[in-house]
Amino acid sequence: MKGVTLAQKIYSEFQTNDVFEIATRLEISIVYAKWFPVTLGELDRKNRRITVNENAQIPREEIIAHELGHYFLEEISPQRHGDAEKICDDFAEELLANG
């Protein structure tokens, strides 16, 4: 599933593009850390946590939306996706554009 289509599905299901609300409803916690700026965020599926790099030069909502993209992509299609980063970037852009 492509990122734009996935974002439209999630927006329709949750009726919001508020990434904090979506994470809360999924019982995914959001934590913050200061890392070297190469890694912007990280999804820890096992512990249901998204870590956001406070040193990142992009808005936190974009990072969280991208990591939620990974969550939903794995939920819908658990096999490895070679283009997962692109799909999640597209997901985040589309999700945040709705609203």
Side-chain angles (χ1 to χ4, degrees), residues 49-67:
R49 178 176 55 230
I50 292 172
T51 303
V52 176
N53 183 355
E54 291 185 314
N55 290 326
Q57 299 298 311
I58 65 170
R60 294 174 179 176
E61 289 82 1
E62 288 180 32
I63 296 168
I64 296 166
H66 176 94
E67 298 307 327

Side-chain angles (χ1 to χ4, degrees), residues 20-33:
F20 297 100
E21 182 178 336
I22 294 170
T24 297
R25 288 169 56 186
L26 293 170
E27 298 180 344
I28 295 174
S29 62
I30 299 171
V31 297
Y32 300 91

Side-chain angles (χ1 to χ4, degrees), residues 5-25:
T5 306
L6 180 57
Q8 292 166 345
K9 178 183 182 312
I10 297 308
Y11 182 79
S12 177
E13 180 179 331
F14 285 83
Q15 292 296 298
T16 186
N17 69 338
D18 182 325
V19 294
F20 297 100
E21 182 178 336
I22 294 170
T24 297
R25 288 169 56 186

